[in-house]
Amino acid sequence: MPVIRKNDVVKERPVIIVLYGTPGTGKTSLATTAEAPLLIDTDRGFDRAVQRPDIVVTASCWEDIYNTEIVGSYIVENGRQVWKPGLIGECKTIVVDTAKAMLDDYLNAFAIRQDPKLATNSLKRYGVMGEMFKQFVGILRSNNSDIIFICHDKETQEGDFIKHSPDCTGQSKDLLIRIADQVGYICKKNGNRVIEFEPQDNRVGKNVADLQDTWIPAYGTKEFSTCMADIIKKVKTAIVNKSDAQVKAQQAVEEARQKLADAKTVEDANALIEVAHGLNKIHQKAFMNQMIKELSEKGIDFDKDKKKFVKHEKATD
């Protein structure tokens, strides 16, 4: 099993994006501007998109999706098993439209067909569905495919405002949001369409890449033709940059700890205050507490009023 060391730089990986919004906001059309997309059309809505990608249109049950032609299978070559990808091997992006039909309809029914007892045990059924779904996603990602799940918008009244969220049953929605890197709500503002990733009180969102609200270009423009591909590229770059920043932050903490171990004088201790201030904010307080504790054991105390370290004064009789 491969191990990523704490100081290793994480390479780009496939990402999972959930897009949801009200009808007419162009969710499917936007998704098809990703790189080399394959649309798994479980909602019978491919003809509403402004441009047509490769499409799986015959999917009416889970077996239609999870089969050798689409997903792939193991074959024997030269006496050993090798994986031969199906249609997904020819595509860079898999678009599922909609996630609700795939999870709540197709996969739910398939789980019950496999074990009829699951029809009356929803908790166990969702556990089985979750494992099968993660296996499916794992195969797509192993092919280096990005995945876009499209959902309709579900409005629920919460107090004085209406909250927007992807339209799936509770446990399916939780699973979808948990595995996603980005969850974006598509809406209209001032006559323009925009994707909002940041979670708010009135909408579900997820923004691992810290993207700003993204305006969607007009249909037919050059910018629109690669809009989703550009967003996915930004997400991947942001995730890698975050990883680089985490590595550098960890290295800075380790270097600071070594300087703390080597500190012997009050001057050394006070120089470490500047080192602590240079650390990532989430590490600063913990490192300062560690400094105070370890330097106290060396006879150097921290004067809270003067905000600096001083020589420990021995008590006198």
Side-chain angles (χ1 to χ4, degrees):
M1 180 182 296
V3 175
I4 298 176
R5 301 296 181 183
K6 62 182 179 181
N7 291 331
D8 288 348
V9 175
V10 176
K11 297 180 181 179
E12 274 194 5
R13 60 166 176 79
V15 295
I16 299 175
I17 295 179
V18 174
L19 297 176
Y20 73 102
T22 54
T25 49
K27 301 180 292 296
T28 306
S29 297
L30 175 64
T32 61
T33 65
E35 184 180 3
L38 172 67
L39 173 62
I40 300 177
D41 183 29
T42 61
D43 212 38
R44 301 295 190 273
F46 76 89
D47 54 342
R48 295 192 292 270
V50 296
Q51 56 190 24
R52 182 177 298 177
D54 294 334
I55 308 165
V56 179
V57 292
T58 58
S60 58
C61 62
W62 181 248
E63 293 90 331
D64 290 340
I65 299 171
Y66 197 84
N67 64 35
T68 57
E69 183 180 352
I70 296 173
V71 175
S73 63
Y74 282 102
I75 62 173
V76 177
E77 284 187 356
N78 299 323
R80 63 188 185 92
Q81 280 193 332
V82 295
W83 178 259
K84 182 181 179 181
L87 283 174
I88 63 171
E90 304 170 13
C91 304
K92 294 293 185 181
T93 312
I94 308 300
V95 181
V96 178
D97 187 6
T98 61
K100 178 178 175 61
M102 173 180 277
L103 287 164
D104 294 344
D105 300 334
Y106 295 6
L107 192 51
N108 183 69
F110 178 75
I112 294 173
R113 284 198 296 274
Q114 297 300 299
D115 183 359
K117 294 180 181 178
L118 295 178
T120 57
N121 189 334
S122 60
L123 184 62
K124 187 175 180 180
R125 183 171 72 252
Y126 276 106
V128 171
M129 288 170 57
E131 289 304 313
M132 289 191 292
F133 181 64
K134 285 187 284 187
Q135 183 184 37
F136 173 69
V137 169
I139 290 174
L140 299 185
R141 297 183 76 172
S142 68
N143 182 61
N144 211 33
S145 299
D146 300 308
I147 313 169
I148 301 173
F149 290 103
I150 297 174
C151 300
H152 295 302
D153 177 32
K154 183 175 182 179
E155 297 182 354
T156 54
Q157 188 75 37
E158 293 192 5
D160 296 331
F161 58 86
I162 294 174
K163 185 163 186 176
H164 302 273
S165 65
D167 185 16
C168 280
T169 58
Q171 295 191 51
S172 294
K173 180 169 66 180
D174 292 344
L175 176 62
L176 201 60
I177 293 173
R178 187 166 65 248
I179 67 171
D181 296 293
Q182 298 284 126
V183 177
Y185 173 59
I186 302 179
C187 58
K188 288 188 176 181
K189 286 186 175 180
N190 301 321
N192 297 310
R193 294 176 303 135
V194 63
I195 313 174
E196 299 174 332
F197 291 105
E198 196 65 25
Q200 300 290 342
D201 289 342
N202 67 335
R203 69 171 185 265
V204 169
K206 190 173 184 180
N207 197 8
V208 170
D210 295 327
L211 297 185
Q212 299 295 319
D213 290 354
T214 303
W215 296 94
I216 302 172
Y219 296 134
T221 62
K222 181 180 178 181
E223 292 78 14
F224 177 75
S225 65
T226 60
C227 184
M228 200 67 226
D230 295 338
I231 291 172
I232 289 175
K233 186 175 181 179
K234 288 179 182 178
V235 172
K236 290 182 176 181
T237 300
I239 290 173
V240 170
N241 288 343
K242 272 194 171 186
S243 173
D244 287 344
Q246 288 169 348
V247 168
K248 291 175 182 176
Q250 183 63 36
Q251 290 173 338
V253 169
E254 291 174 358
E255 290 171 3
R257 286 172 179 164
Q258 185 57 53
K259 290 178 181 178
L260 175 58
D262 295 338
K264 295 181 175 62
T265 67
V266 171
E267 290 75 18
D268 293 339
N270 284 317
L272 276 171
I273 294 177
E274 192 65 28
V275 173
H277 290 165
L279 297 177
N280 190 297
K281 285 186 178 181
I282 63 173
H283 298 302
Q284 288 179 11
K285 184 176 180 180
F287 184 69
M288 277 298 298
N289 290 338
Q290 184 181 359
M291 284 171 58
I292 293 170
K293 179 178 182 297
E294 293 190 17
L295 289 170
S296 177
E297 295 170 356
K298 297 180 181 181
I300 302 172
D301 294 334
F302 184 69
D303 189 319
K304 292 184 179 179
D305 295 327
K306 296 179 180 179
K307 296 183 179 179
K308 67 177 184 178
F309 287 96
V310 296
K311 188 78 174 174
H312 177 70
E313 295 183 8
K314 295 183 179 179
T316 56
D317 294 333

